[in-house]
Amino acid sequence: MFAEERQQKIAELVAGTGRVTVTHLAERFRITTETVRRDLATLETAGTVRRVHGGAVATDRFSTTEESVTERAIQRPDQKIRIAEAALALIPRNSPGSVLIDGGTTTEVLADLLSRRTAGEPSDGAEDRAELVAITHALPIAGKLSNIPGIALDVLGGRVRGITQVAVGQATVEAAGRIRPDIAFIGTNGIHASFGLSTPDPEEAAVKAAFVRSARRIVVLADSSKLDTETLVQFASLKDLDTLITDSEPGPELAAALEDAGVDVVVA
């Protein structure tokens, strides 16, 4: 295979998956890691990829890159449904308790599934149904969970960020510090072996960090595009997590780090 042809295929892989590693490319194309690095350098010079430690990412993957919830809602719908279904199974049916649902498109799918499941559960009367307390700071999630019999909705206030439609700021952080939910379902923009969980915005990172500190059990919902990714602000380490639900097996380095941290990985 000519170098130009191989580099084109590498560029296509990066565009399709968002990230590639030097080791994977060397094995796939049966070339040395030094040749892979030269290919990546050529592609970076051409503006096709951006090199990072151990591999390369798509050029739109900068530490501060952030898409709106509208843009993200149409991406990876099947994977998000599978992840959300696995998360829903962790919430007991028709049972008291409390859950915190962080903002995000996968957590929004979870809220939708929870609202439909709860609304469809039989009950002899409203007074006989055990209510689940659902806490969120995300407007789309609050909309899905409002006025659902069997769910007592608690919305945390603050200044709303338009791009993600979640409340942020000191008031939100302080409100999170006054609660102790049984489970927190957390979204993330990146999960990395050494950097942990991260998100591009410092204010959202502060709120997510407060959520992680507050809950008894931390369950992270992250599709495979978030794996091995670092964004600007860390809000939790892997040791802070109890469970990761994703749609694909993590790579060797991340898998080992998750195992060392005692994180239960569920592949939906």
Side-chain angles (χ1 to χ4, degrees), residues 241-265:
L241 315 182
D242 295 295
T243 303
L244 166 66
I245 305 179
T246 185
D247 61 279
S248 177
E249 290 286 352
E253 184 180 4
L254 179 56
L258 289 164
E259 184 176 0
D260 289 345
V263 180
D264 181 26
V265 178

Side-chain angles (χ1 to χ4, degrees), residues 160-251:
V160 175
R161 288 191 75 220
I163 191 170
T164 54
Q165 298 180 37
V166 300
V168 296
Q170 189 60 32
T172 317
V173 172
E174 291 177 357
R178 293 192 293 268
I179 58 177
R180 189 72 166 159
D182 296 314
I183 307 176
F185 294 99
I186 304 295
T188 185
N189 294 79
I191 178 167
H192 189 270
S194 59
F195 196 58
L197 277 69
S198 59
T199 194
D201 182 72
E203 286 193 300
E204 286 210 27
V207 173
K208 289 177 182 289
F211 288 166
V212 170
R213 290 192 299 268
S214 72
R216 302 176 189 276
R217 181 181 182 186
I218 306 300
V219 179
V220 174
L221 311 186
D223 67 62
S224 54
S225 69
K226 313 295 176 55
L227 305 183
D228 296 312
T229 296
E230 301 168 276
T231 56
L232 184 62
V233 187
Q234 183 197 63
F235 65 86
S237 70
L238 296 185
K239 291 184 178 180
D240 293 321
L241 315 182
D242 295 295
T243 303
L244 166 66
I245 305 179
T246 185
D247 61 279
S248 177
E249 290 286 352

Side-chain angles (χ1 to χ4, degrees), residues 47-126:
T48 307
V49 306
R50 183 168 62 90
R51 284 189 293 173
V52 296
H53 178 70
V57 298
T59 53
D60 61 351
R61 283 205 172 189
F62 291 96
S63 64
T64 56
T65 299
E66 190 172 17
E67 296 175 311
S68 70
V69 289
T70 303
E71 292 171 315
R72 287 185 286 125
I74 61 175
Q75 299 172 1
R76 298 175 174 265
D78 294 339
Q79 293 91 331
K80 290 175 181 178
I81 290 172
R82 296 203 307 270
I83 293 169
E85 287 174 341
L88 183 66
L90 301 179
I91 305 175
R93 286 180 173 271
N94 197 22
S95 174
S98 57
V99 296
L100 186 152
I101 304 181
D102 185 21
T105 52
T106 307
T107 51
E108 187 176 340
V109 175
L110 169 61
D112 188 42
L113 295 177
L114 176 62
S115 67
R116 284 188 279 165
R117 188 185 79 174
T118 306
E121 288 176 341
S123 176
D124 295 331

